[in-house]
Amino acid sequence: MARGNTLTDRRSGATHESFLRHQNYLYLKLAVALCLVSTVAYIFFSPVPRHNGGTWLGYTLGTISAVLIVWLTALGMRKRAITPGKWSLKGWTSAHIYLGLSLVVVATLHTGFQFGLNVHTLAYVLMMIVIVSGVFGIFFYATIPQRMSDNRAEKSTAQMLEEIAALDNDLREAAQPLASENAIVVQRAIDNTKLGGGVLERLRSNHPKCATLQAMNELKARRKSGGDDLGPILSVLERKGVLLERARRHVRYRALLELWLYIHVPITFALLAALIAHIVSVFYFW
Amino acid sequence: MSTVSVDLAILGSGPAGLSAAARAAQRGMSHILLEKTDHLSDTIYKYQKGKHIMATPSQLVLRSDMPFEAGKREVILTNWDKDTARHRINVRLRSEVKAVKGQRGDFQIELADGATLQAKAVILAIGTQGNPNKLKIPGGDLDFVQYTLDDPRAHFDEDIVIVGGGDAGIENALGLADPELANRVTLLQRGPDFSRAKAANVQLLEQAKEQGRLDYITECAPRSLEPGLMIIDTKDGELRLPCNRVIARLGSVPPRQFVEACGAKFTGPDREAFPQLSPSFESTVPGLYIIGALAGYPLIKHCMNQGYDVVEYLAGNTALKPADEPLLEAKFAHLPMRRSVDEWLEFLRREIEIFNDLSPLQMREFMLESDVRFYRKDDRIITRNDVGSSLFTIAQGSVLVEINPEDPSITVPIPAGQIFGEVGLISGRRRGATIRAAGDTLCVEVPRSAALKLMGTVPGVKRRIDRITTERMMKIIFGGDIDPARLNRILDAATLRTLKPQEALITEGEVGFDIYVIRSGSLVVEKNVGGKNVFLSYVPAGAYVGEMALFDNGRRNATVRATVNTEIITMPGDLFKEMLAAQPNTAKRVQEQIANRRRVTDYVEAQKAGFSGVVDMYTSVADFLVEQGLGEATDALLIDETLCIGCDHCETACAESHDGISRLDREAGHTYAHIHVPTSCRHCENPHCMTDCPPNAIRRAPDGEVFIDEKCIGCGNCQRNCPYGVIQMEKTPPKKPGLLSWLLLGMGPGPGQADHDWIDKQLAKKHTEAPKVAVKCDMCKGIAGGPACVRACPTGAAIRVSPEGYLRVAQAAGAEG
Ligand SMILES: Cc1cc2nc3c(=O)[nH]c(=O)nc-3n(C[C@H](O)[C@H](O)[C@H](O)COP(=O)(O)OP(=O)(O)OC[C@H]3O[C@@H](n4cnc5c(N)ncnc54)[C@H](O)[C@@H]3O)c2cc1C
Ligand code: HEM
Ligand code: HEM
Ligand code: SF4
Ligand code: SF4
Ligand code: SF4
């Protein structure tokens, strides 16, 4: 049909492929190729007395590994320097993951399996920790988003907090006519509402000392003994409980998506330090 | 009763009226300045406190006895008060003019307070605000009934009833319902829903009701009012509401009625029309002059210059050239021909058919907004598939339309005096063909806003453009080789109609032969399969529907519905059939389209048993996307929430590449089947945001980006007009310390949008005034690599797509779901 409406280049973002599938697994293919070549070279080349980092193959694999590590670290810069140009962070992430994983093979072959209690092996162990933490990260990236989306049900973080604040207002109002010992319980539920907090709190979706839950239990217990009509306030508390649960799950999901980076990144810097020590030391003692 | 008699009465003390009064005072004319409110310049008085007022266009010199330069509202108003006193302007405040009768030498001016004035000449400068519609019920004149709300925070613990569920009413209700204010707010709406208000506002309103912060009642009308009580009629009977404040937001009567009651004529019946004026701003009533926003000049500087000029003309200074003369001179300066401004205007008016009926004043105005371009042989004027919505007119020479994209040598000429580019203007779609100059050619390019104004102002122009658009659209669709006589018959028979969103054009099962061409907007085709509506396809402007019935004995086999306001050209089926018989090429193309459409239908029929879940999913995702306004979009941001890790990198990247303000809000917006439509510009085909921008600062770039340029004066109209709430009013933040200083030294707030406290503090430190201006997504226009939000997403969750693309996304989601 003669309707001029083609996609332009600027819409290249329209290709809908996840970071794992980026460009039809281009970087996975590259990484596999790198591993295969390294392994084949390792098998066919048999140095005397044995494989280690000091042979020409060892130097080559070591250099490749070191360059890769520096480049993998550079993702931190790429993420933050939003420069013009045809780069895509998705492409970088995709390459980061697959080439990062290929280090398991390339760097291991470099060592010739010569491990000991020394700075060289320290660098190696740190590298493996970074890689393993990365694998966890990928696991979370692949599984959490959908659940986070379902849980938040179109609400933004700010909206969740607003709603909880609005219910706190309702609580305050509903507590006006109550006897003071009941009102105090409600006030505690308002004052001690906790969301997030330290690492452990953020990772749990139920809060051990949830003030709202406590207040609910206490008031339920008192309802039996007569006195104030606690029905209305309990229903507000219940609604708040539900909202809090959702908000806590949200915080938990966000924590899962982020907290592994608190291992991944600092250990990366330790790794860089150990790596420098390793390289300096091998040249020094050579 | 005492009667005052003056030579000149000036109505309205806005920038236009004030400037006129100052000139009259300077010249020592006997004058009076009448102002409705108890202060000068009410429109500006009502701006937000502290608003930075801009003095655009900067190239235009100010010619007025009143000072005016960019600055804070308060400063400008105080200066004007001082200068009004200094010039000894004779002001009469609280003097609403009810009627103006008579003509030159003998005007009677009746005021609302019963006084009458006499004047020899009258200048109308009452702006475009109009008067609010009044609450016409017993008790409607009580003193706790008000028509505006200055500051919701001024009301505490009150029973407030708001009448009127438009945007203004809803926004007031939400402001007053802040729990901290402890007001009890009820909003009354006459209709069953809030169809006049923006979806975002309605959503907030419903949310507020759900949370018990306010209440609203639909299908009701106030009956009477007494202190403390309002009685209303609802569909369930009478209701008594406690009430100690009423805010009536019932819209306003446009000042047009007032102007017409004075006897002055307008240029046409449409909303866009303006009063008919001579070059000296005289209306069709001798001695009655009209200036300022009411005359169609939306910026303060224009208004003030006119105030000065009109008094000079009135006083007999006919040699005075308008202040915009240098701007026009500059427009013509680069052309190879030498003519004076007046000669140019007259030449263009004579040569270009659609300008023939314009007055010299209108000609000036259009040329200020338009551009004259000179092309040599074979220069490209417009390029196929570029987005462009301006209208071109040929003043001299001629152009060639490349009707066959494969072979540029096949062309059709358009002669001098004619127009082109109208399809883009009407439909907002990409250019259908490349057009180049046949020889030395002189064209006037009229931007969309000015072209629409022209069509609204001169009814003849609208008719002509409508017909040419239909004709060219038919040619594009059915082939340029269509026999002119036949085409004329089709055009004579074709009719134009507008569909509302969701309105059905064709209903499945009915009998009908007409063919429908979509002039603007878009349609969706649905089919009833096993009792459910199944989405078949999306049909954009420039395409046609209805042809299948011709081959099915007129039985419609699907329902076709509008997604947004959609203009349709109806063409009788028998003429269409005749055309197919006479034109085998066209027939072949139509047959191909039918075969395609039939394949989709058959596919859905075949799937219904086995994969009804899939088809359902596809349909509901498509419905969701259309509901989110993607039916009128050209390019929108979607987020696949199965991939989004919530890092907000998209926002960070947007802020980093756009003066530190993110133009998208990722978390906000709706989600369906994990497809999330964040709050971000859809780059609508016919952008609502453009409709009412005083300095015409919102434009469309050749790649389709709708963007706001530096002319923005921060009036907030676009923010109100965008139905998707994607425009923000923001100060431009100061520059941040660089990335490395932040990474290594912890300086500044880091990448992304800095918080408002930081911005305000930095600005305060620098003592610079940063005006709030409208900011929105510009699709990263001019940034190499394209949209930063998409490039910066680490997982590929953020994508930008066109409508055809959305439906691919919908299909993918359907296939997976
Ligand atoms: C929010 C906002 C921001 C804007 N910012 C800018 C900006 O930064 N820079 C810029 O150049 N332009 C800006 N504009 C546009 C500008 O305000 C108007 O173009 C300008 O005020 C029009 O001037 P005027 O004299 O024609 O009419 P107005 O300023 O509207 O004045 C009309 C006056 O007439 C009075 N009046 C009305 N009816 C009667 C009656 N029957 N009897 C007696 N008196 C009557 C009114 O009370 C009012 O005082 C902005 C507009 C808005 C809405
Ligand atoms: C420029 C890069 C590198 C160079 C030049 C290099 C060099 C060497 C050399 C010469 C040896 C042999 C030392 C010996 O036999 O005592 C060695 C061993 C080793 N290298 Fe590297 N290396 C590099 C990168 C890496 C990297 C990236 C890692 C892993 C993080 C690594 C881990 C090891 C380990 C574990 C050993 C075995 C230590 C041992 O033999 O006790 N090297 N390297
Ligand atoms: C030695 C190898 C590696 C190093 C040095 C390394 C280093 C880094 C660094 C510096 C970042 C930037 C973090 C930030 O700035 O927020 C990062 C991010 C990340 N890394 Fe690694 N990494 C390595 C291996 C891996 C592996 C093997 C995986 C996956 C299997 C992985 C997955 C990720 C992911 C998913 C991110 C986050 C990307 C984002 O959200 O922007 N990394 N890594
Ligand atoms: S950048 Fe991508 S993953 Fe991050 S919040 Fe935006 S859409 Fe989600
Ligand atoms: S700002 Fe709003 S109205 Fe304007 S193009 Fe974007 S989505 Fe459409
Ligand atoms: S396309 Fe550019 S301007 Fe628009 S939201 Fe994305 S980053 Fe911001």
Side-chain angles (χ1 to χ4, degrees):
Chain A
M1 245 197 43
R3 192 173 46 71
N5 195 27
T6 53
L7 299 180
T8 63
D9 296 344
R10 294 182 66 80
R11 296 233 181 77
S12 50
T15 44
H16 187 37
E17 257 179 342
S18 78
F19 62 115
L20 292 174
R21 282 197 214 168
H22 182 71
Q23 296 206 346
N24 202 11
Y25 298 104
L26 172 67
Y27 293 105
L28 172 61
K29 290 173 189 162
L30 275 178
V32 169
L34 178 62
C35 292
L36 280 180
V37 170
S38 310
T39 313
V40 168
Y42 190 84
I43 292 170
F44 283 93
F45 172 67
S46 32
V48 226
R50 58 176 159 343
H51 275 294
N52 88 0
T55 64
W56 70 264
L57 179 66
Y59 271 111
T60 310
L61 293 179
T63 309
I64 293 176
S65 305
V67 168
L68 270 179
I69 287 175
V70 170
W71 177 79
L72 289 165
T73 311
L75 178 66
M77 284 295 282
R78 176 71 288 176
K79 261 177 95 163
R80 290 172 181 84
I82 319 283
T83 51
K86 244 189 137 31
W87 55 277
S88 114
L89 193 62
K90 175 177 75 163
W92 273 71
T93 315
S94 188
H96 182 92
I97 290 162
Y98 292 122
L99 295 177
L101 281 174
S102 74
L103 276 175
V104 175
V105 174
V106 182
T108 306
L109 294 180
H110 158 72
T111 67
F113 301 94
Q114 306 287 310
F115 300 114
L117 273 180
N118 49 31
V119 68
H120 321 305
T121 306
L122 174 66
Y124 182 80
V125 170
L126 290 175
M127 182 191 80
M128 290 310 287
I129 295 176
V130 173
I131 293 176
V132 170
S133 66
V135 171
F136 273 96
I138 293 309
F139 174 73
F140 294 135
Y141 275 25
T143 54
I144 303 284
Q146 188 156 349
R147 281 194 272 160
M148 184 160 79
S149 166
D150 290 337
N151 179 59
R152 85 177 179 94
E154 302 194 344
K155 294 220 161 53
S156 65
T157 315
Q159 272 171 338
M160 290 185 207
L161 297 180
E162 256 168 42
E163 283 181 9
I164 292 173
L167 280 184
D168 277 345
N169 269 329
D170 290 356
L171 277 179
R172 235 171 251 134
E173 216 162 275
Q176 299 271 345
L178 297 188
S180 65
E181 74 266 18
N182 289 336
I184 287 174
V185 175
V186 177
Q187 192 57 42
R188 237 187 293 138
I190 297 171
D191 294 344
N192 299 348
T193 299
K194 287 218 177 63
L195 205 77
V199 173
L200 286 180
E201 274 94 8
R202 287 171 62 190
L203 285 176
R204 306 176 63 133
S205 54
N206 59 339
H207 204 278
K209 280 182 261 160
C210 173
T212 304
L213 210 73
Q214 278 174 357
M216 214 149 68
N217 290 338
E218 252 172 81
L219 291 183
K220 267 189 195 149
R222 282 187 203 174
R223 177 143 73 161
K224 298 187 187 98
S225 56
D228 289 336
D229 173 13
L230 296 174
I233 201 129
L234 275 171
S235 83
V236 182
L237 279 171
E238 201 150 329
R239 264 167 48 213
K240 185 177 165 193
V242 173
L243 282 186
L244 267 176
E245 214 175 304
R246 184 214 296 263
R248 289 201 177 114
R249 260 197 311 267
H250 188 67
V251 170
R252 178 177 126 86
Y253 288 143
R254 299 208 57 151
L256 285 175
L257 286 168
E258 258 171 32
L259 284 180
W260 66 273
L261 276 170
Y262 287 76
I263 298 174
H264 198 71
V265 178
I267 306 280
T268 294
F269 285 99
L271 162 63
L272 287 182
L275 190 59
I276 292 169
H278 163 63
I279 296 171
V280 169
S281 71
V282 291
F283 282 112
Y284 188 76
F285 291 114
W286 201 23
Chain B
M1 200 187 290
S2 73
T3 33
V4 183
S5 179
V6 288
D7 286 347
L8 173 62
I10 299 155
L11 277 48
S13 67
L18 260 185
S19 177
R23 182 84 295 242
Q26 267 321 65
R27 275 192 164 260
M29 293 165 77
S30 101
H31 70 278
I32 188 164
L33 176 61
L34 300 168
E35 167 56 46
K36 177 171 69 172
T37 60
D38 62 359
H39 45 256
L40 295 176
S41 199
D42 188 48
T43 301
I44 294 174
Y45 185 87
K46 280 209 234 120
Y47 291 175
Q48 215 175 12
K49 291 201 177 61
K51 179 183 182 313
H52 179 94
I53 298 179
M54 293 182 223
T56 46
S58 47
Q59 323 89 298
L60 183 65
V61 291
L62 179 72
R63 190 196 280 168
S64 173
D65 302 295
M66 301 296 270
F68 174 59
E69 54 185 48
K72 270 206 176 19
R73 160 189 174 274
E74 288 72 11
V75 176
I76 289 172
L77 288 176
T78 319
N79 283 344
W80 283 354
D81 282 341
K82 275 193 218 141
D83 282 280
T84 305
R86 188 167 60 87
H87 288 305
R88 293 177 206 286
I89 296 176
N90 180 19
V91 193
R92 191 183 195 274
L93 296 175
R94 287 177 225 88
S95 306
E96 178 175 351
V97 177
K98 277 273 168 227
V100 177
K101 298 203 180 97
Q103 46 175 283
R104 186 187 303 283
D106 181 27
F107 282 106
Q108 280 87 44
I109 300 167
E110 290 167 21
L111 301 187
D113 61 10
T116 329
L117 307 174
Q118 282 175 349
K120 297 210 171 79
V122 171
I123 296 175
L124 265 188
I126 57 172
T128 48
Q129 279 182 35
N131 290 318
N133 282 320
K134 294 275 157 54
L135 190 63
K136 289 193 198 97
I137 56 171
D141 49 358
L142 288 168
D143 58 359
F144 59 93
V145 178
Q146 61 190 60
Y147 296 93
T148 55
L149 175 66
D150 293 332
D151 183 9
R153 311 222 139 246
H155 306 285
F156 184 76
D157 193 17
E158 293 183 9
D159 289 302
I160 305 176
V161 178
I162 293 163
V163 189
D167 283 312
I170 295 180
E171 279 160 22
N172 287 173
L174 290 169
L176 289 163
D178 186 330
E180 279 173 28
L181 302 174
N183 291 313
R184 292 159 299 281
V185 179
T186 311
L187 183 134
L188 309 183
Q189 161 73 334
R190 179 179 296 270
D193 51 24
F194 296 92
S195 49
R196 266 188 308 126
K198 279 198 279 195
N201 272 336
V202 179
Q203 201 188 335
L204 287 175
L205 182 74
E206 282 165 359
Q207 219 166 33
K209 177 168 180 164
E210 221 169 87
Q211 294 168 3
R213 285 193 278 135
L214 53 70
D215 194 15
Y216 62 73
I217 306 173
T218 54
E219 293 184 73
C220 69
R223 186 198 296 169
S224 68
L225 191 63
E226 54 192 80
L229 180 73
M230 181 187 260
I231 300 178
I232 62 174
D233 291 319
T234 72
K235 56 179 189 296
D236 310 317
E238 174 187 302
L239 192 72
R240 300 163 79 83
L241 280 179
C243 164
N244 44 35
R245 182 171 306 281
V246 176
I247 297 173
R249 302 308 303 254
L250 302 165
S252 53
V253 197
R256 176 168 180 159
Q257 286 179 14
F258 179 82
V259 178
E260 284 179 332
C262 300
K265 291 203 174 59
F266 274 68
T267 50
D270 294 3
R271 206 179 63 91
E272 292 87 2
F274 293 105
Q276 284 182 30
L277 297 177
S278 76
S280 56
F281 305 106
E282 193 167 3
S283 71
T284 52
V285 178
L288 180 71
Y289 296 79
I290 302 179
I291 56 170
L294 184 59
Y297 296 83
L299 293 172
I300 295 171
K301 239 194 218 175
H302 292 148
C303 295
M304 298 185 71
N305 286 351
Q306 285 171 1
Y308 181 100
D309 292 355
V310 73
V311 172
E312 285 296 309
Y313 294 141
L314 232 150
N317 178 2
T318 44
L320 181 75
K321 290 265 179 227
D324 49 29
E325 189 84 358
L327 298 186
L328 282 173
E329 268 164 21
K331 289 223 181 243
F332 298 119
H334 67 279
L335 297 173
M337 311 83 165
R338 293 278 145 238
R339 291 192 179 93
S340 75
V341 168
D342 283 336
E343 283 164 5
W344 267 117
L345 293 178
E346 183 48 30
F347 168 76
L348 296 174
R349 199 181 67 78
R350 203 180 50 230
E351 295 302 321
I352 298 171
E353 204 187 326
I354 59 168
F355 290 166
N356 290 171
D357 300 338
L358 294 185
S359 68
L361 188 65
Q362 285 170 321
M363 245 348 262
R364 286 196 93 83
E365 194 190 329
F366 282 113
M367 286 319 300
L368 278 171
E369 290 175 42
S370 308
D371 285 301
V372 196
R373 304 192 191 285
F374 180 76
Y375 302 93
R376 299 256 175 232
K377 184 170 163 45
D378 285 338
D379 283 352
R380 271 194 181 189
I381 305 175
I382 63 181
T383 306
R384 190 176 128 82
N385 281 345
D386 270 3
V387 174
S389 51
S390 52
L391 179 73
F392 284 83
T393 60
I394 311 169
Q396 195 180 315
S398 66
V399 301
L400 298 172
V401 187
E402 297 176 5
I403 48 172
N404 183 344
E406 270 83 57
D407 185 355
S409 67
I410 306 178
T411 58
V412 169
I414 301 179
Q418 295 296 310
I419 61 170
F420 58 96
E422 71 297 326
V423 174
L425 168 75
I426 301 293
S427 70
R429 289 251 144 196
R430 285 161 193 274
R431 300 290 194 194
T434 296
I435 296 183
R436 56 184 152 89
D440 284 1
T441 302
L442 193 66
C443 290
V444 179
E445 181 176 0
V446 188
R448 180 180 148 86
S449 49
L452 293 182
K453 203 149 120 194
L454 180 67
M455 287 169 68
T457 319
V458 191
V461 171
K462 182 170 162 51
R463 248 177 284 124
R464 232 169 299 169
I465 291 183
D466 278 350
R467 181 158 176 130
I468 295 177
T469 314
T470 308
E471 177 185 335
R472 303 235 174 105
M473 235 170 196
M474 296 283 182
K475 276 193 181 159
I476 291 178
I477 296 177
F478 302 117
D481 47 353
I482 182 166
D483 166 39
R486 184 185 320 280
L487 185 61
N488 266 331
R489 256 191 307 136
I490 294 180
L491 291 179
D492 289 339
T495 53
L496 201 61
R497 66 187 269 215
T498 306
L499 299 178
K500 290 202 183 50
Q502 296 301 318
E503 195 177 332
L505 174 67
I506 296 177
T507 309
E508 189 174 345
E510 71 182 5
V511 172
F513 290 93
D514 289 349
I515 306 293
Y516 304 100
V517 176
I518 309 166
R519 210 166 99 100
S520 70
S522 61
L523 301 171
V524 287
V525 185
E526 299 163 341
K527 189 169 176 52
N528 191 307
V529 181
K532 280 186 205 145
N533 272 342
V534 173
F535 180 93
L536 292 186
S537 61
Y538 165 88
V539 195
Y544 60 96
V545 293
E547 77 294 349
M548 287 177 74
L550 287 183
F551 303 88
D552 284 336
N553 298 322
R555 189 157 301 280
R556 305 293 192 184
N557 65 2
T559 296
V560 180
R561 228 179 262 292
T563 61
V564 289
N565 282 331
T566 298
E567 284 182 301
I568 298 289
I569 305 165
T570 306
M571 158 178 179
D574 43 350
L575 287 180
F576 183 71
K577 253 189 165 157
E578 255 177 53
M579 178 180 74
L580 294 191
Q583 284 181 225
N585 278 342
T586 310
K588 208 171 107 216
R589 261 192 290 168
V590 172
Q591 289 292 356
E592 274 164 24
Q593 160 145 330
I594 290 177
N596 271 334
R597 288 188 171 164
R598 189 149 284 154
R599 232 179 333 240
V600 178
T601 322
D602 293 348
Y603 172 78
V604 169
E605 287 277 4
Q607 299 283 307
K608 77 175 174 206
F611 301 97
S612 77
V614 177
V615 175
D616 269 5
M617 188 67 185
Y618 177 40
T619 301
S620 44
V621 170
D623 283 350
F624 164 72
L625 291 175
V626 166
E627 211 171 276
Q628 292 307 307
L630 306 191
E632 61 177 324
T634 61
D635 186 301
L637 180 63
L638 297 184
I639 290 185
D640 178 348
E641 288 207 338
T642 63
L643 288 173
C644 174
I645 55 167
C647 61
D648 283 332
H649 236 80
C650 39
E651 289 186 15
T652 307
C654 184
E656 281 298 291
S657 41
H658 292 88
D659 297 329
I661 303 277
S662 170
R663 281 101 211 277
L664 80 118
D665 184 343
R666 178 194 53 91
E667 263 192 331
H670 289 285
T671 313
Y672 186 81
H674 301 115
I675 297 178
H676 178 64
V677 186
T679 300
S680 155
C681 179
R682 282 106 161 112
H683 299 274
C684 303
E685 281 176 348
N686 293 315
H688 310 272
C689 50
M690 281 187 191
T691 29
D692 206 4
C693 173
N696 266 328
I698 308 182
R699 292 187 290 142
R700 174 152 238 153
D703 274 331
E705 308 93 333
V706 175
F707 68 101
I708 304 181
D709 67 21
E710 69 298 331
K711 291 203 295 292
C712 173
I713 53 170
C715 71
N717 285 352
C718 55
Q719 188 186 31
R720 280 186 290 278
N721 284 336
C722 167
Y724 308 109
V726 307
I727 299 184
Q728 318 163 61
M729 308 304 297
E730 291 285 355
K731 295 177 189 167
T732 306
K735 263 206 127 21
K736 293 184 293 196
L739 180 59
L740 281 177
S741 333
W742 170 76
L743 263 180
L744 305 176
L745 308 172
M747 277 163 60
Q753 180 166 341
D755 62 48
H756 282 101
D757 289 348
W758 184 86
I759 296 175
D760 287 341
K761 234 190 264 158
Q762 294 298 311
L763 289 174
K765 251 195 251 169
K766 294 211 167 110
H767 301 291
T768 43
E769 259 247 51
K772 278 194 178 172
V773 293
V775 297
K776 68 178 274 297
C777 164
D778 60 3
M779 246 207 275
C780 288
K781 183 175 77 71
I783 297 179
C789 47
V790 171
R791 282 187 292 135
C793 174
T795 63
I799 52 175
R800 295 208 70 104
V801 271
S802 62
E804 289 84 350
Y806 313 139
L807 299 167
R808 251 202 321 278
V809 173
Q811 219 152 9
E816 278 163 25

